[in-house]
Amino acid sequence: MASKRVYLETFGCQMNELDSELVAGRLASLGYAFTSKASEADVVLYNTCSVREQAEQKVWSRLGELREQKADKPGMVVGVLGCMAERDGKGLMDRMPVVDVMCGPGELDKLPALLDNAVRTRESLVADDPNAAVKSVKAVALQGSTSRRSATLAAAEDSLEYLDLSRSVSPIDPVGSLRKSAYVRITRGCNKFCTYCVVPFTRGAEIHRPPAHIVDECQRLADQGVIEITLLGQTVNHYRFEHEAATIAGGVTQPQKGRAFKGGHKRDPLTGERVTTFADLLYEIHEKAPGIQRLRFVTSYPRDFGDDVLEVIRDCPRICRYLHVPAQTGSDRMLKMMNRGYTAQEYDEFVARAREHLHQPEIGRPLMISGDIIVGFPTETDEDFAQTVSLLERSRYKSCFIFKYSPRPGTVAYDKIPDDVPEAVKRVRNNELLAVQNRISDEVSREQVGCVYDILIEGPSQKAIKAAGLSGKQAKKASGGVQLTIGGRSADETDDLSVTAVLERTDSETVQFSGRTDGDQIVMFDADVAEAKALPGQIRRVRITEGSGLTLFGELV
Ligand code: 5AD
Ligand code: SF4
C-alpha cells in the first residue's frame, strides 16, 4: 500500500479545502504518497461541490478525461468525494463507470477503509478480467438523502468528529511546517434550508463541535507555527454548545445537534459553564491560543448575530475586523421566497450595528465586510433587481461574490418554482452588479490611502511570478506561501515553493509581494531581494500609497 500515489483535487468552498486537507493527512499517515500530476497517480480523488451546476460540470469533464487514462491503467482507482457524490448517489457511477469510490462529505471518516478496499478489489479484478478498466468496484459511503446524519447522532458516536480530531494527532502533515494559515471547523452542516441551496441535503444537519476540541486544535496549530486561523461553518454565528446536554462516547465528547438559536445569553468565558456561545468560543481561542495572531470566521448569517460577538471582536486585538455576511438579494419578496428569514431593512440594521461596534479607522482598524448575491432567482423582476443594486450601494462591501441562480435538483426552489429568468437577463444583471461592486470596491480601496496596516505576507505577487517567467503549475507553487492546494504537494517539492523560484529568475533588486490586511484586503508592495526570502508568513507594517479595484498598494514602514 505504501507505494500508492494519490492525486487529490478540490473544487468549491473552504469547507471542502479543509476536508481535503484532513483526508490527505489521514491518507498520508496510512502510507499513501501524493503527486501533483493526475497522470502519475494510482488513486485519483476529486473532492466536489454541488452548490452550482457549473461546479459539477467541471468534475464531469474531468471524469470524462480519466476514462482514457484508466483504459491504459486499469488498476487505477477513481474516487468522487464531497457534495456531488452525496447528491448524485449511485446514479453518478452508472453514468461514469470510471468511478470506483464515492464518499459523501458526512462520511469522509470512512474513506481510508473504502479506498483500501477499492485498491485491493481493483488489483484482483485486473488480474482476472481483461475488461477490468470499464468496471467500477463500487465502494460507496453516503449518508443517503433520507437520513440526515443527525437522525442517529443523539444516540450514536459521531465518527466524523474523529476526522477533525485526527489532524491534531496525525504525526504526518502533508502540508508540512510551511503552513502559516489554517482552517478549523466549528460547525458542520446547515439547518437553514434556503430554498435554492443544496447544502442542507449534502452536508446534512447542523452540528457543533465541542469547544475543547476546537480550542485544542487551534493551540496545536499555533504550536506548529500557524499564525492565522479561519473558523469555518455554514452559519458560524449560530455556534452554541450546551455542556449539560453533552454526550460522551468512546471517551470522547460528541458534537451536538444545532438547536434553534437562542440569543442574549450571558457570556461566561473560560470557566466551563453551562453554555459556550460563539462569543465565548472566539474569546476562549483568543485567550488560550495567543500564537494565533489573526482569527477570522466565515460564513456569518445576517440574523442571530448578537452584540456579545461584536463586543468580543472589538475587545480582542487578534480577532480580525472582517465579516462575510451574505445578503443574497435586496428584495424582501425574494428574501421571503428564498426563506432567508430577514428583511432588507433588518440586514441594513445588522450592517449598521456591526459598523457601529467595529469600524474604527481612527485606530487603524476599519471593518471590512464582504457579501454574496444571487441574481435571477425565479420571478425576480427589474424592480427586485433594483433593490439588490440599492442594497449593494448601501452595504459598501469591500468585495462581493455575485452568482447567477442555478437550479439545484432536490431543493425547494427547484421543485416548486420554475427557473423563469432567462439566462440572458441573468447575465445582464450579473454584469451590472459586478460593475457596481467594482466601483464600490475601488472607492473602498481608495479610502485606505495614507493608512498604516499590519499585513500578513503571503508570497510573491502574481505580477512578480509572471515577470519571472513562471507559468501555470510553477506559478501556482510559487504563490503557495500561505494558501495551499493539496492537489499533491510532496515534501521534496517544498524547496521549489514560493520565493526561491521567483528570486532565481529575477534580476531586479526588488520583488513585488502580496499580503493581506486584518480586514482581508490584498496589499501589494515591493520588497528588497535581500530580505525577500524571509518574508512569507511574517506580519509587517505597510503604509498604503494607492488603492485600485480590489487591490491596495503600499510600502513597508
Ligand atoms: N445558485 C446560485 N448561487 C448559489 N449559492 C448557493 N446556492 C446557489 C444556487 N443554487 C451561492 C450563495 C451562497 C454561496 C456559497 O453560493 O450566494 O452564499
Ligand atoms: Fe445554503 Fe442557506 Fe445554509 Fe448558506 S445558510 S449553506 S445558503 S442553506
Side-chain angles (χ1 to χ4, degrees):
M1 186 62 63
S3 61
K4 295 291 175 203
R5 278 168 310 175
V6 179
Y7 172 83
L8 169 55
E9 187 170 347
T10 308
F11 301 81
C13 62
Q14 291 151 317
M15 199 59 99
N16 265 16
E17 283 174 37
L18 174 58
D19 281 340
S20 286
E21 183 184 334
L22 298 179
V23 159
R26 277 287 282 279
L27 294 179
S29 70
L30 293 170
Y32 287 89
F34 285 83
T35 165
S36 54
K37 294 196 185 97
S39 59
E40 286 177 357
D42 307 300
V43 177
V44 174
L45 300 176
Y46 294 133
N47 191 8
T48 61
C49 169
S50 282
V51 162
R52 282 169 295 277
E53 195 188 348
Q54 219 182 0
E56 292 199 343
Q57 229 107 51
K58 267 192 226 158
V59 175
W60 286 117
S61 76
R62 289 280 204 292
L63 291 173
E65 289 159 19
L66 281 184
R67 239 179 319 196
E68 273 175 42
Q69 192 179 331
K70 201 162 182 177
D72 295 340
K73 214 200 243 177
M76 185 169 87
V77 168
V78 176
V80 174
L81 324 180
C83 289
M84 231 175 124
E86 189 61 52
R87 204 184 69 70
D88 289 354
K90 290 193 182 149
L92 190 147
M93 270 176 170
D94 295 339
R95 185 170 153 193
M96 284 286 176
V98 72
V99 177
D100 296 299
V101 176
M102 302 242 296
C103 190
E107 310 295 323
L108 288 171
D109 50 301
K110 305 193 177 75
L111 183 69
L114 285 182
L115 260 192
D116 186 56
N117 179 5
V119 166
R120 286 170 206 278
T121 313
R122 281 221 77 79
E123 273 167 3
S124 58
L125 194 66
V126 170
D128 304 340
D129 182 351
N131 290 321
V134 294
K135 289 192 183 151
S136 166
V137 303
K138 292 200 166 72
V140 178
L142 304 170
Q143 240 172 269
S145 51
T146 47
S147 76
R148 303 221 314 150
R149 191 177 180 105
S150 71
T152 52
L153 195 67
E157 204 167 327
D158 180 11
S159 53
L160 191 56
E161 179 63 13
Y162 293 102
L163 183 65
D164 286 81
L165 285 176
S166 72
R167 164 196 233 164
S168 330
V169 295
S170 163
I172 302 166
D173 173 6
V175 171
S177 55
L178 270 170
R179 168 138 261 215
K180 295 289 180 196
S181 184
Y183 295 126
V184 170
R185 189 176 350 251
I186 66 168
T187 70
R188 295 196 303 253
C190 184
N191 285 349
K192 296 306 293 184
F193 288 96
C194 301
T195 54
Y196 51 79
C197 187
V198 82
V199 168
F201 304 98
T202 58
R203 288 202 182 260
E206 187 180 287
I207 67 104
H208 301 201
R209 299 186 61 211
H213 294 182
I214 298 167
V215 173
D216 187 57
E217 195 171 327
C218 293
Q219 286 174 324
R220 284 175 191 241
L221 287 165
D223 289 346
Q224 288 167 20
V226 165
I227 56 175
E228 178 179 64
I229 282 180
T230 304
L231 304 175
L232 298 185
Q234 307 297 339
T235 53
V236 272
N237 48 311
H238 286 179
Y239 181 84
R240 179 183 168 87
F241 195 89
E242 296 184 4
H243 295 271
E244 281 165 3
T247 53
I248 296 178
V252 176
T253 307
Q254 297 298 304
Q256 203 164 73
K257 251 165 101 165
R259 291 147 209 258
F261 179 81
K262 296 176 213 150
H265 30 252
K266 195 170 141 278
R267 246 179 70 203
D268 238 344
L270 293 179
T271 40
E273 289 72 7
R274 283 186 321 108
V275 177
T276 299
T277 65
F278 182 52
D280 296 334
L281 181 72
L282 282 178
Y283 184 70
E284 207 168 319
I285 298 171
H286 184 268
E287 296 303 298
K288 291 189 175 168
I292 301 304
Q293 298 187 43
R294 288 191 166 182
L295 183 60
R296 280 199 184 83
F297 51 88
V298 290
T299 293
S300 301
Y301 200 72
R303 261 182 57 172
D304 316 324
F305 202 115
D307 281 351
D308 55 347
V309 183
L310 297 173
E311 283 159 15
V312 168
I313 303 172
R314 184 195 59 207
D315 296 344
C316 293
R318 295 182 307 279
I319 302 183
C320 296
R321 305 260 171 134
Y322 170 72
L323 298 176
H324 179 228
V325 221
Q328 310 298 3
T329 165
S331 152
D332 285 344
R333 195 178 69 84
M334 295 283 96
L335 283 167
K336 203 159 194 183
M337 282 178 75
M338 290 177 171
N339 189 31
R340 289 290 287 177
Y342 54 86
T343 61
Q345 189 188 340
E346 283 164 341
Y347 184 86
D348 289 346
E349 282 163 10
F350 169 68
V351 168
R353 189 157 54 89
R355 289 220 162 98
E356 194 184 303
H357 279 85
L358 301 177
H359 188 59
Q360 293 181 290
E362 66 286 356
I363 57 161
R365 305 203 68 193
L367 172 67
M368 291 293 153
I369 303 180
S370 66
D372 292 353
I373 295 282
I374 297 175
V375 294
F377 188 76
T379 78
E380 185 185 67
T381 62
D382 286 344
E383 172 54 26
D384 292 315
F385 177 67
Q387 286 167 1
T388 299
V389 174
S390 163
L391 179 131
L392 214 58
E393 296 281 6
R394 299 193 301 272
S395 301
R396 294 194 67 74
Y397 300 128
K398 73 143 179 114
S399 62
C400 183
F401 296 104
I402 296 161
F403 304 107
K404 290 183 284 182
Y405 170 66
S406 168
R408 306 312 295 137
T411 60
V412 170
Y414 180 90
D415 290 339
K416 301 233 163 92
I417 330 173
D419 176 26
D420 62 356
V421 178
E423 178 60 28
V425 174
K426 286 183 188 167
R427 199 176 328 121
V428 168
R429 289 180 184 166
N430 185 59
N431 289 344
E432 188 177 333
L433 271 195
L434 280 174
V436 171
Q437 183 55 46
N438 285 347
R439 196 200 72 237
I440 295 169
S441 296
D442 196 66
E443 287 166 7
V444 171
S445 290
R446 279 169 210 280
E447 284 162 16
Q448 316 306 316
V449 172
C451 298
V452 174
Y453 294 134
D454 285 334
I455 65 166
L456 174 58
I457 300 174
E458 300 192 328
S461 70
Q462 288 303 319
K463 190 176 133 199
I465 289 165
K466 269 205 194 120
L470 293 168
S471 65
K473 284 215 169 116
Q474 285 172 305
K476 230 186 199 169
K477 266 193 228 160
S479 67
V482 173
Q483 274 302 330
L484 301 155
T485 335
I486 298 292
R489 170 176 297 181
S490 58
D492 54 310
E493 282 176 289
T494 49
D495 270 348
D496 203 17
L497 266 168
S498 81
V499 209
T500 319
V502 171
L503 289 181
E504 274 170 5
R505 296 166 176 81
T506 306
D507 352 330
S508 94
E509 289 184 359
T510 59
V511 179
Q512 192 187 55
F513 268 69
S514 71
R516 273 178 305 126
T517 67
D518 131 324
D520 207 38
Q521 289 191 291
I522 299 161
V523 184
M524 305 288 180
F525 65 96
D526 286 334
D528 277 358
V529 166
E531 67 166 344
K533 216 165 171 177
L535 287 178
Q538 278 191 32
I539 291 189
R540 291 284 292 267
R541 195 152 280 194
V542 162
R543 174 174 291 105
I544 305 303
T545 52
E546 204 187 320
S548 156
L550 286 173
T551 312
L552 306 178
F553 297 87
E555 51 198 24
L556 289 172
V557 293

